Amino acid sequence: MMNIILFGGPGSGKGTQSARLIDNYGLYHISSGEILRDHIKRGTDLGRTADSYISKGHLIPDDLMISIIEHTLDTEAKDKKGVIFDGFPRTIPQAEALADLLKRRNSDVHAVIGLEVPDEELTARMLNRGKETGRADDNPETIEKRLKVYHEQTQPLREHYIKKGQYIPIDGTGQVDDIFHSIREGLREKTGAEASKS
Ligand code: AMP
């Protein structure tokens, strides 16, 4: 079992690199943002609640997010050989809850991949994604708010995981293939895991 957290600012390439990790390591993908967007699309109660936060660039409350992840771990992700957490945790209480959830399932976090990208590039990428995909929260006002929230609430997790010896810093600028190559090297060093494809 190998559980990996993919960590980084909004627009840092978590979704893109997740797709490669799933393919190469056979991991199950849990993207908190995708779960929430799916609820919004289906018009569920949870979707309506989530939308009221997401559209303002705020994080949804920890308790709600943690219970969604717990439910996913016990349903879709049950019996998988490992999980890639994409966009979760985003706060220290979420990180502590995740450690606890995994411990209770006789597991652990094995590595945290940190995609490090400067703010200016994050902004440019999100504006571009907004144009290409129509993603509602990729607009200038919400992007500014999301970056502020990232620095205030999420970035402290970097230090948290460095202290735990789980953090793998990755330069998230440049070509997608080169970034994935660095991730593979980092994972091999930290966990001994080898990608199935070369
Ligand atoms: P993402 O697709 O990861 O960029 O997430 C899009 C939005 O969903 C974020 O800006 C938050 O409003 C919300 N969200 C996603 N993951 C979390 C989380 N772990 N905690 C709280 N809010 C989240």
Side-chain angles (χ1 to χ4, degrees), residues 32-33 36-37 54 58-60 65 87-88 90 94 135:
S32 47
L36 298 170
R37 280 189 291 279
I54 293 177
H58 295 158
L59 297 183
I60 72 161
M65 195 68 243
F88 180 90
R90 257 178 160 95
Q94 290 183 15
R135 185 169 146 171

Side-chain angles (χ1 to χ4, degrees), residues 9-11 14 31-34 36-37 50 53-62 65-66 69 86-91 94 126 129 135 137-138 142 146 149:
K14 298 190 295 292
S31 159
S32 47
E34 270 176 28
L36 298 170
R37 280 189 291 279
Y53 293 95
I54 293 177
S55 59
K56 296 193 193 80
H58 295 158
L59 297 183
I60 72 161
D62 284 338
M65 195 68 243
I66 291 162
I69 298 295
D86 162 3
F88 180 90
R90 257 178 160 95
T91 63
Q94 290 183 15
M126 284 187 275
R129 184 172 62 187
R135 185 169 146 171
D137 57 348
D138 282 338
T142 313
R146 284 156 71 200
V149 166

